[in-house]
Amino acid sequence: MERTLISKIQQKDGQNVLIKGRILNVRSLGNIIFLVIQDYTGIIQTVFEKNAEVKMGETVAVKGLVKKEPRAKGGYELQGEKLEIISPITEDLPFDLARNELNLNINTLLDQRALSLRHPKVQAIFKLYDILLKSYETVMREENFTEIKTPKILGSATEGGANFFKVKYFEKEATLAQSPQFYKQIMVGVFERVFEIGSAFRAEPHFTTRHVNEYISLDAEMGFIQDYSDVIQMLNKVIKKMFELLEKEGQPYLEMYKIKISEVPEEIPCVKLAEIKKIIKKEYGYAIPEETDIDPKGESLAGKYAKEKFNSDFIFITHYPWSDRPFYTMPSSENSRETYGFDLLFKGLEIATGSQRIHTYKQLMENMRK
Amino acid sequence: MERTLISKIQQKDGQNVLIKGRILNVRSLGNIIFLVIQDYTGIIQTVFEKNAEVKMGETVAVKGLVKKEPRAKGGYELQGEKLEIISPITEDLPFDLARNELNLNINTLLDQRALSLRHPKVQAIFKLYDILLKSYETVMREENFTEIKTPKILGSATEGGANFFKVKYFEKEATLAQSPQFYKQIMVGVFERVFEIGSAFRAEPHFTTRHVNEYISLDAEMGFIQDYSDVIQMLNKVIKKMFELLEKEGQPYLEMYKIKISEVPEEIPCVKLAEIKKIIKKEYGYAIPEETDIDPKGESLAGKYAKEKFNSDFIFITHYPWSDRPFYTMPSSENSRETYGFDLLFKGLEIATGSQRIHTYKQLMENMRK
């Protein structure tokens, strides 16, 4: 008998079906056993009117009759007839996956990751991640960007600084890519618009919520811009489309967390860094420390300001100082200590960074010598 | 004036336009200069009836009048009026990008990669690569696979063996992922069907056309199969759809190489490894060395056999020996020295590998101890 996916059960009312999935819950009421079975398309209750030797977490194949049952989730249940255990468990699960909330401490959550990932609310996070990846790919192609994949084992550090990992490369030493930056810039000379979804590595301890050793970076680079505002407009457009797709396709997962996706403005407000510092001082009485361009508290208050002043969860902070930005960043033509580099904040957290790049060899060489 | 993409020029007959691109070729005929300009959408000839100081390889913005010109490629040319050099070159190009064939030796091709990539025939390779990535993402989602991204810095080697790179991970030593294998298997327990497009690293010298240090691996893993033939069927289906999309969207690039995309059979022929060895001996008089499962010459002859016998560019070789396959591979129920592991050959070259995995803890533990 061919397998029926749980999401298709309602089309088989009154028929015998075979389902395959994992036991999410087992309850006994006298001689009756209620099994909650989950496959990747949904959940169904199965009733056995005899003893069924089965435990939570086991993988099973169940044959049974589909019956209307108004009290069941989805309106149907399965009257179980035959149960085969495909993969038995060898010890009891360390926690109850059938609970609405896992409520585990982070050590248990991560130590038992193969199991905690199976909880619907944890699954939801990775489903949203999947949709985000899909939306980025889709949107970038719509905007005529070509997808590239660039090397991750490099001869030297891309972004400078000290936060790179060293790899033993046969008899030599290599470094792991901190970003695809120079490859992207080379590829603009080839395809004008390119994007990459790839691993980036940063040798930074995980001591804040803003640092990770490795992550998937959504990168893009485009040529023939007038100035940095073209890049800002493109990023605005891409983020807007991504959030719209996330809202459309991610609804069941967002609902689990009662999250309403933010509306992305047609034009996200832009404020210069020097200006936002003054505003934060004036409006919220907080002086951003001199030694940083903007600190986490400053970003958070910039997010607050964006919400209060522009009713926007997003804000671009522009014109970062020359001293804090990489050598390929275009200096401002009005103030050489500032650049056409920017960050995008979402609810007070940096989610993207960008800039206009220097596009002539002469200026680039001069800038490298400064 | 807003930029017109070169592919849209024909819609602007008789109008003044602004184009931006790179000078692919410069020819002078007396006082007349012919410039071939390329942007990411196409190529157009521009005629200046005065001296235009411009060199091959420079990035320019050109204003001019669109005119019908039957002798020009595409049927139109631009009568140049104003030329601005956006990014000048500082030395002459080391080779002529306007030639139909680059014909460079591999050292020049790679040493000058930022330039050689701009040749249309090299661009074509990376355009086809882009289409392959897109087709894989698209097809896997159609088949209800969830996209995942798994860690690349690992505590120990995924696939065993000695071909892994070591990373200095703060005070510890880590290894770069040879594959996402165990993560994929964990995620089958979560989403049943998952795929990943990610970096894989193998510490193997590049001494054959079959070895690279790092590559992008198109991975997938699925649950609730009857046996390995379900995996083979899925791979068959995925490859078929990918090749069809490649043919449909890659036509202009394939034509440059006069490549006709192979038809993927509805059912790619499957032959057991032990059997193909006998066939190769009998049909082609070649004895595959005892110490390998199948060597490159054997694969090549297996490809020849597939073409001659089944008129197929593809062939699955199945039932690889237990001794050559990883511990999680399901042994054959008929012959415990064989497994349900297989390779897919395309024109005599391995392009995919797979197997049925062991799905119970007990058998997996027993297999690890063997």
Side-chain angles (χ1 to χ4, degrees), chain A residues 3 22 169 189 192 213, chain B residues 3 22 146 169 189 192 213:
Chain A
R3 176 190 186 192
R22 200 174 43 243
Y169 186 75
E192 199 176 310
N213 287 172
Chain B
R3 176 189 185 192
R22 200 174 43 242
T146 298
Y169 187 76
E192 199 175 309
N213 287 172

Side-chain angles (χ1 to χ4, degrees), chain A residues 184-233:
Chain A
K184 280 196 303 179
Q185 289 185 240
I186 286 171
M187 294 309 285
V188 165
V190 180
F191 293 127
E192 199 176 310
R193 295 183 168 194
V194 293
F195 75 103
E196 177 165 9
I197 300 172
S199 293
F201 304 93
R202 304 276 169 119
E204 300 168 328
H206 300 275
F207 66 97
T208 77
T209 53
R210 289 149 192 265
H211 294 84
V212 276
N213 287 172
E214 59 168 301
Y215 57 95
I216 297 297
S217 181
L218 306 184
D219 267 278
E221 194 86 12
M222 62 191 281
F224 293 110
I225 55 172
Q226 274 308 315
D227 60 33
Y228 74 98
S229 64
D230 284 349
V231 187
I232 279 184
Q233 276 169 36

Side-chain angles (χ1 to χ4, degrees), chain B residues 29-188:
Chain B
L29 265 174
N31 267 346
I32 302 175
I33 311 269
F34 295 90
L35 305 178
V36 180
I37 299 176
Q38 180 187 33
D39 74 11
Y40 75 100
T41 68
I43 283 169
I44 192 147
Q45 178 166 279
T46 306
V47 187
F48 277 87
E49 295 191 356
K50 54 187 172 188
N51 236 342
E53 272 296 327
V54 65
K55 289 176 196 146
M56 269 178 68
E58 290 187 319
T59 305
V60 297
V62 171
K63 281 185 186 159
L65 184 70
V66 179
K67 289 183 73 175
K68 271 216 179 77
E69 171 50 68
R71 287 166 300 178
K73 216 175 163 180
Y76 290 85
E77 67 175 21
L78 207 62
Q79 193 171 310
E81 271 151 32
K82 205 178 155 212
L83 182 144
E84 180 205 343
I85 295 174
I86 296 172
S87 184
I89 60 169
T90 52
E91 48 185 304
D92 287 339
L93 294 185
F95 42 77
D96 183 357
L97 281 170
R99 286 191 311 220
N100 282 337
E101 300 290 334
L102 268 181
N103 285 330
L104 301 175
N105 70 49
I106 192 150
N107 285 338
T108 312
L109 195 77
L110 295 181
D111 286 349
Q112 305 285 348
R113 200 55 171 157
L115 298 174
S116 64
L117 280 164
R118 297 177 183 185
H119 189 271
K121 285 193 77 169
V122 185
Q123 286 181 328
I125 296 168
F126 289 87
K127 278 290 184 185
L128 291 168
Y129 185 91
D130 170 45
I131 297 168
L132 267 179
L133 288 171
K134 176 188 164 185
S135 67
Y136 187 66
E137 292 152 13
T138 307
V139 172
M140 296 317 282
R141 289 205 165 87
E142 279 172 14
E143 297 297 331
N144 292 311
F145 285 73
T146 298
E147 188 167 9
I148 58 172
K149 298 286 185 184
T150 67
K152 301 307 165 204
I153 301 180
L154 306 183
S156 59
T158 325
E159 298 285 352
N163 65 346
F164 54 84
F165 287 111
K166 289 179 185 169
V167 187
K168 194 174 173 311
Y169 187 76
F170 305 104
E171 300 310 309
K172 294 180 184 168
E173 192 170 76
T175 65
L176 288 182
Q178 296 158 295
S179 82
Q181 188 55 41
F182 301 141
Y183 289 108
K184 280 196 303 180
Q185 288 185 240
I186 286 171
M187 293 310 285
V188 165

Side-chain angles (χ1 to χ4, degrees), chain A residues 267-287:
Chain A
E267 276 188 45
I268 295 173
C270 291
V271 181
K272 286 187 183 181
L273 179 66
E275 205 178 312
I276 200 80
K277 284 184 165 185
K278 283 183 207 153
I279 290 167
I280 286 170
K281 184 77 201 295
K282 182 158 168 271
E283 299 281 326
Y284 309 111
Y286 178 67

Side-chain angles (χ1 to χ4, degrees), chain A residues 3-9 17-25 36-46 58-62 78 86 118-120 123 127 253, chain B residues 144 146 187-193 223-224:
Chain A
R3 176 190 186 192
T4 298
L5 293 174
I6 289 174
S7 63
K8 308 283 184 199
I9 284 279
V17 298
L18 166 68
I19 64 167
K20 293 180 180 182
R22 200 174 43 243
I23 303 289
L24 201 61
N25 208 0
V36 181
I37 298 176
Q38 179 187 34
D39 73 11
Y40 76 99
T41 68
I43 284 169
I44 191 146
Q45 177 165 279
T46 306
E58 290 187 319
T59 305
V60 297
V62 171
L78 207 63
I86 296 172
R118 297 177 182 184
H119 189 271
Q123 285 180 327
K127 278 290 184 185
Y253 314 112
Chain B
N144 292 311
T146 298
M187 293 310 285
V188 165
V190 180
F191 293 127
E192 199 175 309
R193 295 183 168 193
F224 293 110

Side-chain angles (χ1 to χ4, degrees), chain A residues 13-14 48 52 59 63 129 177-178 203 237 283 318 330 345 357:
Chain A
D13 186 22
F48 277 87
T59 305
K63 281 184 186 159
Y129 185 90
Q178 296 158 295
K237 195 171 173 183
E283 299 281 326
T318 68
M330 181 67 87
L345 307 189
R357 324 301 192 192

